Amino acid sequence: MQRASRLKRELSLLSTEPPPGITCWQNQNQLDDLRAQILGGADTPYEKGIFNLEIVVPERYPFEPPKIRFLTPIYHPNIDSAGRICLDVLKLPPKGAWRPSLNISTLLSSIQLLMAEPNPDDPLMADISSEYKYNKQLFLRNAREWTQKHASP
């Protein structure tokens, strides 16, 4: 019950005051199955891209973080080919930084920030990470190509 009312409140806030470049909605009226879109930020290789995400809200939310993954392929050191995201706020302590005071809006904003500023020191994709660190021009070109191929409207 607490989860349902909190999710309704969060979704209402997301629809009336969404963070810039982020939208989120229920998938087929399932309260625990959400979809989100993040627009690639200006001056990033993801610019003009529209990235779709799946959000599965666990039974124990907000005491457990939602499972979020990219449905749109993205070339990024912290996001793997299955769309899984390496981000501390998506994991429970001690390894993660999830707290019940965080919400879906905050998580989506954190993912948007991660897209703009990858963390090559905590990669899911080692090859993309070393490319980001040691051959940034190649990384930027590849990321732009993927964005045009997979995330263009």
Side-chain angles (χ1 to χ4, degrees), residues 31-104:
L31 197 55
D32 56 357
D33 184 14
L34 310 176
R35 292 292 177 268
Q37 270 186 347
I38 296 180
L39 302 178
D43 304 322
T44 73
Y46 311 109
E47 189 170 9
K48 293 192 175 87
I50 299 172
F51 297 88
N52 293 302
L53 294 92
E54 171 188 73
I55 304 168
V56 177
V57 183
E59 225 24 78
R60 294 193 55 241
Y61 182 80
F63 302 104
E64 200 175 291
K67 307 254 179 289
I68 303 180
R69 71 181 187 96
F70 276 79
L71 297 173
T72 306
I74 182 170
Y75 193 84
H76 194 286
N78 308 106
I79 302 162
D80 73 9
S81 54
R84 291 181 301 234
I85 306 160
C86 182
L87 186 62
D88 59 351
V89 291
L90 294 174
K91 293 183 263 195
L92 284 167
K95 288 192 168 137
W98 171 256
R99 296 185 314 279
S101 58
L102 296 173
N103 60 30
I104 291 167

Side-chain angles (χ1 to χ4, degrees), residues 94-112:
K95 288 192 168 137
W98 171 256
R99 296 185 314 279
S101 58
L102 296 173
N103 60 30
I104 291 167
S105 179
T106 312
L107 292 179
L108 291 170
S109 296
S110 300
I111 291 168
Q112 189 181 42

